[in-house]
DNA sequence: TTGTAAGCGTTATCAC
DNA sequence: GTGATAACGCTTACAA
């Protein structure tokens, strides 16, 4: 087994100094044609590659991005990672992944683990527990140490940093408008608890669309699911809750759900109750994942463009990392009120499938 | 903005030497009670945390694991990552993710990028293109440099390393046996091209089960899908292919598919053709993902236990990393024929749902 | 009890 | 044209 070769070893073998080797390999013309040739040939033969860690230490930058997300077994988040990895790689960065598992503590531990030199900046989406606690000190602490953060999807005003969000509000408006245009009179909303910002925004969009169309919102037609407890049989519970909801509100002829799971479950329940889709009930979900494409009937959804969000977030972060940092630092130092942070809004798009007319 | 504080700065502030600070912080009793107190208090105040990169360079280990997978937007792979991250984190490791995107070249580039000091070892699953080319030199080169690899799911005999696989063969046997017990007479197989090892093994399991039950395999009942080209409308193509297959083989009363997408699509086609499930056709898939749980009817599957695979793989790798390496190195040096590499086989399990009787 | 120095692998500056 | 040296941040013999 030949351990990776270092400059030192090459120097020793070729009886030159380490700095000569370093220069020769970087093609410096300080070094004679001859020596350069010899050294490069030798290095190639032994497949020399500079040690990343040493470079990181020297340059005080690791060329790696830390991703911190609540959950990886989730289509949306994996598409975001794919987007991040895509541009990160293209721009010479690696990607290190931490999972908060929706836990406040794990989020903090993970951040601290990565913030100690392992990465140059974060791309993250806030855990539910953190949103619930509304404790964002760890984000601000990280930023104050000079490590930039880009937040996506689950973001929060209390932290000043670049953000990439999908236009949840307008996405919801579009979806509900579509249902209204399709002649739905009693449109139900299936949403999450309000502390999840995206759920709240989509709920607001729903209300806005109704109002714009002079429809009075009926609170009975709004079902808020509490998914904070991750119990074993949450699928059953969900189904039961939705079924009860349908039975209490027989007049429902349209459903807007803030994620595809709720939407698909609603379709299932509706079918079970003898309703046909889209004839009796039309359904639109949010997030264009696997379920939407393969449900029967296939589900009309508001697409979130996860991969695009990831790409934009990565570009934002790398731009910041590679721009002259003085400006940024200055901002942090002065706590300058006029923020130059960017908030990118990714437009949503309705993907029409079979669950709407 | 206060940049992260270093030992040097603490030393300067407190007017002691760097090594004194280092020792005091690690609780060495070489240092007097007094100084230790003072230094620890100061460090705490300034939230000192040792720089990971410096530690990595010094210790020649990074405490991070490199994961290299073909695709992240894939339920199975994300469960594996979750498993890896879980134990890695518990054992003090970070996880860095590279995606080959099923490409041979990207696999190599990614490996080289990570093998230059960024990580201590790899956990990976081979890309389709690599399997097709049967060129595994990059894996062996990495191993020869003293960097351990654990392969999972898509593994290959040509590379000597620890492996974690699911018992594809027996999983398939179990599935087909179940169909036979459920009185299916004409069981179709929907599989991938043979170069994907898991597809091949599952196909063999199918054949074995038939033979064990004295059923003569009918090659017309085997559909091999070529998914090597990742085209835009592959879903449609898939559906058409399967539909043609069903139309040509009206007698099919059972389907075993090597992944859940094929299974779900088969169900869809069957329903379209007026067949009811499970009355007319029973279907079993492989891989227990989102689709299986939410299809209508819900799909009976052979569960792959991705998270468990990830956990085992991580434990295997970390054990190897933390064991005294002399043995391992010795093995590599001598090219010792009696391999002490471990091949863990994860048992599959049939999860019964509505698509079978 | 504290400090000095070497070393992990690089690169950059400066001297010869 | 080549080499010595310092520095990145840390740990650890060894010296004082």
């Amino acid at each position: 087994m030949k351990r990776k070769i270092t400059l030192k070893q090459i120097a020793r073998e070729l009886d030159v100094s380490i700095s000569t080797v370093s220069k020769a390999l970087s093609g410096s013309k300080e070094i004679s044609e001859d020596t350069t040739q010899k050294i490069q040939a030798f290095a190639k033969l032994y497949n020399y590659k500079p040690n990343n860690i040493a470079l990181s230490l020297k340059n005080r930058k690791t060329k790696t991005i830390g991703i911190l997300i609540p959950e990886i077994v989730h289509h949306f988040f994996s598409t975001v990672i794919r987007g991040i990895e895509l541009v990160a790689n293209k721009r010479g960065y690696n990607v290190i992944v931490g999972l908060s598992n929706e836990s406040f503590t794990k989020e903090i531990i993970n951040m601290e683990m990565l913030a100690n030199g392992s990465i140059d900046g974060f791309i993250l989406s806030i855990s539910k527990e953190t949103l619930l606690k509304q404790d964002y000190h760890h984000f601000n602490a990280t930023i104050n140490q000079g490590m930039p953060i880009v937040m996506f999807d689950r973001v929060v005003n209390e932290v000043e940093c670049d953000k990439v969000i999908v236009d949840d509000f307008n996405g919801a408006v579009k979806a509900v408008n579509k249902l209204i245009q399709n002649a739905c009179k009693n449109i139900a909303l299936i949403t999450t608890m309000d502390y999840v910002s995206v759920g709240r925004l989509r709920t607001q969009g729903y209300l806005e669309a109704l109002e714009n169309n002079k429809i009075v919102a009926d609170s009975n037609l709004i079902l808020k699911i509490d998914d904070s407890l991750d119990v074993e049989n949450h699928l059953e519970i969900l189904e039961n809750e939705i079924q009860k909801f349908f039975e209490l509100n027989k007049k429902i002829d349209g459903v807007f759900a803030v994620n595809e799971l709720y939407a698909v479950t609603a379709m299932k329940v509706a079918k079970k109750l003898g309703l046909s889709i889209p004839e009796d009930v039309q359904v639109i979900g949010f997030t264009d994942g696997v379920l939407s494409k393969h449900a029967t009937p296939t589900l009309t959804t508001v697409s979130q463009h996860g991969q695009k969000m990831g790409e934009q977030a990565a570009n934002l972060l790398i731009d910041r990392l590679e721009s002259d940092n003085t400006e940024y630092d200055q901002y942090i130092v002065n706590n300058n009120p006029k923020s130059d942070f960017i908030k990118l809004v990714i437009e949503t798009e309705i993907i029409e499938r079979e669950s709407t007319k």
Side-chain angles (χ1 to χ4, degrees), chain A:
Chain A
M1 186 198 64
K2 35 175 192 182
R3 191 145 237 123
K4 283 201 88 51
I5 199 169
T6 67
L7 288 188
K8 201 184 196 171
Q9 292 167 47
I10 300 185
R12 195 172 337 119
E13 293 294 328
L14 262 41
D15 213 47
V16 289
S17 78
I18 295 181
S19 48
T20 304
V21 178
S22 174
K23 286 171 188 162
L25 289 178
S26 66
S28 157
K29 47 188 157 45
E30 274 182 46
I31 308 297
S32 75
E33 187 79 354
D34 255 23
T35 0
T36 303
Q37 288 264 309
K38 193 177 56 176
I39 293 177
Q40 288 191 342
F42 190 89
K44 182 152 208 174
L45 180 63
Y46 284 90
N47 191 31
Y48 170 80
K49 294 273 162 49
N51 179 308
N52 275 335
I53 296 290
L55 287 179
S56 296
L57 185 59
K58 181 128 218 356
N59 303 329
R60 283 118 143 287
K61 54 178 66 161
T62 60
K63 290 279 197 171
T64 106
I65 293 176
I67 303 182
L68 189 47
I69 52 174
E71 172 61 86
I72 196 168
V73 186
H74 196 305
H75 185 264
F76 170 66
F77 285 121
S78 31
T79 55
V80 176
I81 296 188
R82 187 212 255 155
I84 297 175
E85 210 266 352
L86 189 75
V87 340
N89 238 304
K90 201 181 297 168
R91 298 183 66 171
Y93 282 73
N94 275 127
V95 149
I96 189 163
V97 172
L99 309 178
S100 69
N101 202 22
E102 303 287 12
S103 142
F104 176 69
T105 321
K106 244 206 116 190
E107 189 170 85
I108 291 185
I109 293 179
N110 252 304
M111 283 202 82
E112 288 183 345
M113 194 150 170
L114 295 181
N116 297 318
S118 304
I119 61 166
D120 296 339
F122 275 106
I123 296 179
L124 60 84
S125 197
I126 309 179
S127 83
K128 276 185 198 159
E129 201 187 345
T130 306
L131 290 170
L132 199 52
K133 276 187 132 82
Q134 305 193 39
D135 181 347
Y136 310 119
H137 76 274
H138 48 308
F139 301 131
N140 288 316
T142 306
I143 292 172
N144 276 327
Q145 285 177 7
M147 176 158 304
I149 293 182
V150 176
M151 291 192 171
F152 72 90
D153 199 52
R154 274 137 69 156
V155 308
V156 108
N157 284 329
E158 287 87 337
V159 182
E160 299 229 33
C161 63
D162 294 324
K163 286 160 195 162
V164 182
I165 53 172
V166 20
D167 191 350
D168 289 292
F169 179 81
N170 282 313
V173 171
K174 280 189 213 169
V176 176
N177 274 341
K178 169 148 201 71
L179 290 172
I180 295 171
Q181 281 158 26
N182 284 4
C184 293
K185 297 297 173 213
N186 296 287
I187 300 175
L189 169 70
I190 307 183
T191 184
T192 59
M193 292 310 208
D194 276 344
Y195 67 87
V196 180
S197 53
V198 298
R200 191 177 56 240
L201 287 167
R202 291 170 198 172
T203 301
Q204 285 167 7
Y206 162 86
L207 296 171
E208 172 84 5
L210 292 185
E211 195 178 321
N212 288 348
N213 288 275
K214 317 247 183 291
I215 300 176
V216 182
D218 174 355
S219 66
N220 290 320
L221 291 183
I222 298 181
L223 175 60
K224 292 195 184 185
I225 310 269
D226 182 5
D227 60 349
S228 61
L229 8 84
D230 192 17
V231 287
E232 188 56 33
N233 56 343
H234 73 278
L235 271 186
E236 265 175 70
I237 296 179
L238 178 65
E239 198 169 325
N240 288 337
E241 258 188 276
I242 294 182
Q243 179 155 357
K244 242 183 300 169
F245 178 64
F246 265 89
E247 285 166 346
L248 285 172
N249 298 283
K250 305 258 185 205
K251 57 181 183 177
I252 292 174
D253 56 1
V255 174
F256 170 57
V258 299
N259 59 46
E260 61 171 8
L261 177 57
Y262 294 175
V264 167
T265 310
M267 293 208 294
K268 190 173 207 168
V269 168
K271 283 190 288 184
K272 201 197 290 181
L273 297 176
L275 301 164
S276 50
I277 300 167
E279 291 73 16
D280 302 325
V281 184
Q282 299 183 56
V283 181
I284 300 187
F286 214 108
T287 300
D288 187 37
V290 229
L291 283 180
S292 311
K293 288 193 197 73
H294 297 283
T296 7
T298 55
L299 180 68
T300 297
T301 54
V302 181
S303 168
Q304 252 178 308
H305 300 300
Q307 174 158 350
K308 193 168 167 193
M309 287 184 80
E311 292 169 15
Q312 306 262 32
N315 277 320
L316 229 43
L317 180 62
I318 298 179
D319 286 349
R320 186 126 258 160
L321 290 174
E322 298 190 341
S323 78
D324 184 10
N325 276 347
T326 26
E327 248 183 272
Y328 179 69
D329 287 5
Q330 214 49 47
Y331 168 72
I332 302 287
V333 171
N334 299 342
N335 205 5
N336 186 334
K338 68 167 179 34
S339 163
D340 67 340
F341 288 111
I342 294 171
K343 187 177 207 165
L344 281 183
V345 178
I346 310 280
E347 284 307 315
T348 56
E349 175 195 359
I350 294 201
I351 303 197
E352 295 195 39
R353 298 212 184 80
E354 301 161 358
S355 66
T356 49
K357 285 182 195 166

